[in-house]
Amino acid sequence: MGLLAVLWGPVALLIYGLGHALKAEAIASTLALGVLYVWFILLLRRWGRGINRWAHPLSHCGLRGGSGFAVSAVQALVVGAGAIVGLFGIEILLGWAAPQMPGWSLVWIALEGLLVAIGIGFAEELFFRGWLLLELERDYSPSLALLLNALVFAIAHFIKPLPEIIRTSPQFLGLMILGMALVWARRIPTGSRWQRNRTNLGLPMGLHAGLVWGYYIADVGDLTQLTGQAPAWVTGIDGNPLAGMVGLTMLSLLAAKLAQAAGRNKYV
């Protein structure tokens, strides 16, 4: 990770500087993240072969081709998006949120959100549940590696000013639960009946993308509006499901189901 920072830092400073000068900060941020991930993949290939002696580093980290990978990814994407739909549906039924009439732009928002979700799911899962999880499992028990992976995942998504950390602290718990759920998804065998213990990144990538996609459509598309009949700690601080009781309950149930399925494999 230090090598990655050294390689990416100068390029990122140049990109962000040009973006600020041209008043195109959003484009610069996207471009800088793209460069970061290109460096990560290049470094992962060299690191995997030179340090860990992996013949095929990307495949070893769970990025495998084949119909099994694609099918599990699509199924998990539907489950993740469906979970978000169910969450907002419960809030509407309980009167905590009111549905809003969608416009024709919703189609574009859905397509845009799908591309964003796939990009986030691919990038973050290859890093956290691909390379980082394998590195942790080399030195620690499966249970401790799971907790450390989820902790790093939560911290990486919770870098903000201290007052905001305190105000949105329930979100950290949600990120921890989500991180553990994605590790369990990574440990679920998805191979054929001749390869029952084969796992890949299809499930965590699809699930992560589905959750992001569902929330993107609901948030950017303004499909619901909170009525104020329930406190923020129930529906989520700033409307974020990860920072509310309803979202935490949904994530906990999903994580428990994934843990049960992963428990049938060699991991505890």
Side-chain angles (χ1 to χ4, degrees), residues 33-74:
L33 289 175
V35 172
L36 171 65
Y37 212 71
V38 169
W39 272 122
F40 168 67
I41 292 178
L42 293 175
L43 189 59
L44 172 59
R45 293 169 66 90
R46 295 294 299 272
W47 180 272
R49 290 185 179 131
I51 303 298
N52 293 331
R53 305 301 179 189
W54 296 335
H56 304 285
L58 294 179
S59 177
H60 196 90
C61 288
L63 194 62
R64 301 188 178 97
S67 59
F69 182 94
V71 169
S72 60
V74 172

Side-chain angles (χ1 to χ4, degrees), residues 152-164:
V152 174
F153 176 74
I155 292 174
H157 287 76
F158 215 67
I159 300 175
K160 57 181 74 175
L162 182 59
E164 277 298 295

